[in-house]
Amino acid sequence: MSAIYFIVFLPLLAAAVAGLSNKAFGKTFPKVITTGSLFIACALSWPIFISYLGGHAEPTVSPIFTWMLSGSMQVDWALRVDSLTAVMLVVVTSVSALVHLYSWGYMSEEPDQPRFFAYLSLFTFAMLMLVTANNLVQMFFGWEGVGLASYLLIGFWFRKPSANAAAIKAFVVNRVGDLGFMLGIFGTFLVFGTIDIPTILAAAPNMHGSTIGFLGARFDTMTVLCLLLFVGAMGKSAQLGLHTWLPDAMEGPTPVSALIHAATMVTAGVFMVCRMSPMFEQSQVALGVVTFVGAATCFFAATVGTTQTDIKRVIAYSTCSQLGYMFFAAGVGAYGAAMFHLFTHAFFKALLFLGAGSVIHAMHHEQDMRYYGGLWKKIPVTYWTMMAGTLAITGVGIPGIFGNTAFGFAGFHSKDAIIEASYAAGQTSAFWVGVFVALLTSFYSWRVVFLTFHGKPRWAASEHIQHAVHDAHGHGHDDHADDGHAHAAHGHDDHHHDHAHEGDGTAGYHPHESPIVMLIPLLILSVGAVLAGFVFHGFFIEPSAGESYWHGAVAFNEHLMHAMHEVPVWVKLSATIAMLSGLAIAYGAYIVSPSFPAKFAEAFRPLYLFSLNKWYFDELYNFLFVRPAFAIGRLFWKKGDEATIDRFGPNGVAKVVQLGGGVTAKLQSGYVYAYAFIMLIGLTAALTWVIAR
């Protein structure tokens, strides 16, 4: 049997066993079965990826069964594996396996562990169904599956109101994008007469120049279809306009943030655009929209990330920004570079999220960086692994400006490739946005490092730390309601104190390094953050990659790849200069002169508040959509349902019956002579009527 069946269905089987058995076999059994299945899937995925790297593998389709048959539409369950799928297989299974292992430590005192691990594995199955889809309906099944799993995982701590609100927000916002995706699928079937992806992509060039009726007018066929599909990608990948759910999703457990909102689910939109790239290549308008939205998202999210104080939200906006890089890479035609950045980003962003979880674990679930400082000696393994992730995302490396092979961390190879490709494609605006965002990325990434690990400890001001010290002194504070639960501190509490430090401004609190089961994933991901770019760049973005690796899985522009490697020296240096500038600014602001950020925020208060409040998108949407929706709902509820339908419907009928009953009741005196008198009157009336006739 093909390995792909085991890769896809082992996580589903594990999710079913863990979820249905729940606590019947204890807490350990669900963790073992789910984590073990993911490591097996990961071990089977890497050989497939390596076989495509060697240029020896051909695309394969493994059928399962016919799902639906309606007229000319046949929907088959089939697992497609090609070089594009191979990339996603190693990304999804590798990150998911490590997140499962990490969760053994992070969720160690969580009472609902079986449910949590079942949700993780269910998400992984849905994502694997999405990336192995051979038709658009199967892709949509996986698409909605990861949306469901995301809703369940974000709202995992359902006793926490903010987690419930975040889960609902993610679900609703993604439904907006999914409407566009569904319309795109409907339109594609209407135009091509099939939902089979290879057939659609082969026929796409023949549709160039044709038109289709939409919203009462006629437009270019491929433009309409691609823009509708892209709306779905915008929702799933949190692009500007449909991005508001992603930062709020940080209300879920940190392993969820790493799995869903950094490395896998949010990249589904990028994957879909690259999968359908032969369609997008037929519409310059659609490519222009993808480029603009990607660049705008890239810029927006980076500006917001510079002012956030919650460590997880900074990394969340960083994810949003890096996804913007991937989209404008696809928009300029560099699909190989987009997938390369997706690949490297999975390693260093999962590393940063899990590293942040290790910091939060050490700081008694304090997430505000203003209450960190001086942690590098306390949690050295976490520090150095997060340092590797920071070096990767900021793009530290040595450019090969004179034909020499460049060397650097993962993001240096992939992000710089996107910036150079945008210049080579003549997209000057996207190029300069990419360079400026590289500076902002460096600034907010090093800001996280300096605020968290360097400077003086600021732990004493944290309420979480005060509660921890309060507990440690035996005062019995047991109502932390940690992450929505009223049990004590999620298992990361009482042992984190050291009375010897009471005089150094740390409130007697001693951060503790994470357990080994949490550190192993950090160390493994660090290897990817350091080496993934240097080792694999030739397979993704070299001019020969179109034949040696991609094999037609994406619309590979060999000419653009040649041009990308031949850009002027100053273009190759631009991202590195921007990175160094961001580092210098962050170092000066948070190490040399820690009072500078407050002074800057005061001097430019409107600009600071604009960024701090996320460009007021939530407030704007609340004004435009949420409040009117609630007002309309109340109108139909109070005036329509209660005042009209209920009043003249069931309540009105009931009232008439009640009044009639009251009148009738008055006729029931209970005296026999009264009933006889009434009968006599009735008889007299009847006789009178007969005689009168």
Side-chain angles (χ1 to χ4, degrees):
M1 184 180 290
S2 175
I4 190 62
Y5 292 114
F6 290 99
I7 293 171
V8 173
F9 291 107
L10 271 178
L12 176 63
L13 178 62
V17 171
L20 294 176
S21 66
N22 198 13
K23 302 173 185 177
F25 302 104
K27 292 183 179 180
T28 303
F29 175 75
K31 294 191 289 187
V32 171
I33 195 72
T34 53
T35 307
S37 69
L38 260 300
F39 272 96
I40 293 172
C42 179
L44 294 173
S45 297
W46 276 95
I48 294 176
F49 177 58
I50 293 171
S51 68
Y52 280 97
L53 292 181
H56 306 302
E58 295 293 331
T60 62
V61 177
S62 302
I64 304 175
F65 58 85
T66 298
W67 186 14
M68 289 183 283
L69 187 60
S70 177
S72 61
M73 185 180 75
Q74 179 173 331
V75 182
D76 294 325
W77 281 92
L79 305 178
R80 178 178 182 81
V81 179
D82 57 14
S83 52
L84 182 62
T85 304
V87 176
M88 298 304 295
L89 288 180
V90 296
V91 166
V92 174
T93 58
S94 299
V95 174
S96 183
L98 294 174
V99 167
H100 275 73
L101 180 61
Y102 179 93
S103 300
W104 281 54
Y106 193 86
M107 306 293 285
S108 59
E109 294 299 319
E110 171 60 48
D112 294 327
Q113 290 182 59
R115 178 167 62 92
F116 179 77
F117 282 89
Y119 287 171
L120 286 185
S121 292
L122 177 64
F123 164 81
T124 307
F125 161 72
M127 191 68 196
L128 290 170
M129 286 301 302
L130 190 159
V131 302
T132 58
N134 196 46
N135 62 68
L136 290 174
V137 174
Q138 185 180 331
M139 181 182 287
F140 188 71
F141 170 83
W143 196 271
E144 293 302 294
V146 294
L148 168 65
S150 174
Y151 170 80
L152 295 174
L153 285 166
I154 295 170
F156 176 76
W157 284 315
F158 55 85
R159 296 181 182 89
K160 188 179 179 183
S162 58
N164 286 327
I168 294 172
K169 187 175 184 179
F171 195 81
V172 171
V173 173
N174 271 278
R175 295 294 72 73
V176 177
D178 291 349
L179 174 61
F181 191 31
M182 285 190 290
L183 291 175
I185 295 174
F186 299 157
T188 301
F189 178 73
L190 176 67
V191 170
F192 293 96
T194 181
I195 54 167
D196 183 67
I197 292 175
T199 305
I200 293 169
L201 300 184
N206 299 328
M207 296 296 170
H208 183 73
S210 64
T211 60
I212 187 174
F214 184 66
L215 298 178
R218 296 201 70 82
F219 302 95
D220 179 76
T221 301
M222 301 311 294
T223 298
V224 171
L225 297 183
C226 291
L227 289 180
L228 288 173
L229 293 174
F230 181 60
V231 171
M234 287 177 63
K236 196 65 69 183
S237 295
Q239 293 301 282
L240 190 64
L242 296 178
H243 68 279
T244 53
W245 67 270
L246 183 63
D248 287 22
M250 298 303 105
E251 292 292 339
T254 298
V256 173
S257 304
L259 178 62
I260 296 182
H261 310 111
T264 51
M265 190 190 86
V266 290
T267 61
V270 180
F271 165 81
M272 188 266 285
V273 170
C274 291
R275 171 64 82 199
M276 310 305 291
S277 55
M279 284 182 64
F280 281 83
E281 284 295 299
Q282 307 309 313
S283 172
Q284 290 304 309
V285 174
L287 288 176
V289 171
V290 173
T291 303
F292 174 79
V293 172
T297 305
C298 192
F299 173 76
F300 153 76
T303 60
V304 175
T306 60
T307 56
Q308 302 304 300
T309 57
D310 185 313
I311 187 171
K312 286 176 64 176
R313 284 182 179 264
V314 175
I315 303 174
Y317 277 107
S318 172
T319 298
C320 196
S321 182
Q322 299 304 307
L323 289 167
Y325 268 117
M326 299 174 206
F327 274 112
F328 85 68
V332 302
Y335 301 101
M339 288 303 301
F340 186 33
H341 197 50
L342 185 156
F343 179 75
T344 61
H345 175 264
F347 292 105
F348 61 71
K349 187 52 63 67
L351 171 61
L352 288 172
F353 261 118
L354 296 183
S358 183
V359 173
I360 295 167
H361 167 277
M363 294 300 291
H364 199 76
H365 295 269
E366 177 60 72
Q367 296 183 195
D368 195 326
M369 296 184 296
R370 291 173 296 182
Y371 304 127
Y372 290 171
L375 289 174
W376 76 276
K377 290 184 178 179
K378 305 293 184 181
I379 47 175
V381 178
T382 299
Y383 170 68
W384 286 111
T385 53
M386 284 198 72
M387 181 65 76
T390 302
L391 294 170
I393 192 174
T394 57
V396 174
I398 303 172
I401 58 177
F402 300 112
N404 299 321
T405 301
F407 178 79
F409 291 81
F412 166 76
H413 291 277
S414 58
K415 185 169 66 178
D416 285 25
I418 292 174
I419 293 172
E420 293 164 11
S422 62
Y423 180 86
Q427 298 286 348
T428 309
S429 298
F431 165 74
W432 284 113
V433 169
V435 172
F436 182 64
V437 171
L439 185 151
L440 295 178
T441 302
S442 179
F443 171 78
Y444 67 65
S445 298
W446 289 110
R447 173 175 174 262
V448 169
V449 171
F450 295 145
L451 281 176
T452 302
F453 296 104
H454 295 278
K456 295 181 179 179
R458 302 177 297 278
W459 317 333
S462 168
E463 291 185 6
H464 293 75
I465 304 302
Q466 292 173 6
H467 289 163
V469 175
H470 196 244
D471 291 347
H473 284 114
H475 295 292
H477 183 91
D478 60 358
D479 189 24
H480 299 291
D482 174 65
D483 295 313
H485 290 287
H487 58 79
H490 208 54
H492 311 311
D493 45 10
D494 295 340
H495 58 286
H496 294 307
H497 65 278
D498 185 344
H499 303 305
H501 290 268
E502 291 182 357
D504 64 358
T506 63
Y509 189 77
H510 178 58
H512 196 279
E513 186 61 275
S514 299
I516 188 66
V517 75
M518 292 173 63
L519 297 181
I520 290 175
L522 296 181
L523 295 170
I524 295 174
L525 289 169
S526 297
V527 176
V530 174
L531 296 177
F534 178 73
V535 172
F536 295 105
H537 72 94
F539 299 104
F540 284 84
I541 58 174
E542 290 297 326
S544 61
E547 290 295 328
S548 63
Y549 180 71
W550 291 114
H551 290 292
V554 299
F556 191 84
N557 189 334
E558 188 174 335
H559 173 73
L560 178 60
M561 293 299 101
H562 273 293
M564 182 185 79
H565 289 83
E566 296 171 1
V567 295
V569 171
W570 69 269
V571 174
K572 293 185 177 182
L573 289 174
S574 58
T576 299
I577 294 172
M579 176 272 296
L580 293 173
S581 301
L583 169 60
I585 296 170
Y587 184 81
Y590 294 98
I591 298 299
V592 177
S593 179
S595 62
F596 176 77
K599 294 177 181 178
F600 181 88
E602 189 63 34
F604 298 94
R605 189 156 188 79
L607 183 64
Y608 169 74
L609 292 176
F610 186 66
S611 172
L612 183 67
N613 289 284
K614 303 156 287 189
W615 290 26
Y616 294 101
F617 265 100
D618 283 320
E619 289 79 2
L620 178 64
Y621 284 2
N622 185 59
F623 176 75
L624 291 178
F625 303 116
V626 178
R627 288 169 59 185
F630 274 101
I632 294 172
R634 281 192 295 269
L635 174 66
F636 281 110
W637 170 29
K638 294 293 185 182
K639 301 296 183 182
D641 191 18
E642 291 186 347
T644 304
I645 297 174
D646 285 351
R647 180 182 178 187
F648 297 104
N651 290 351
V653 172
K655 188 68 173 178
V656 170
V657 171
Q658 183 181 13
L659 292 174
V663 173
T664 306
K666 292 179 180 179
L667 297 177
Q668 307 299 318
S669 65
Y671 295 106
V672 173
Y673 65 81
Y675 295 146
F677 179 68
I678 292 172
M679 292 171 64
L680 181 61
I681 292 175
L683 180 60
T684 302
L687 290 173
T688 303
W689 179 75
V690 171
I691 295 171
R693 290 188 65 188

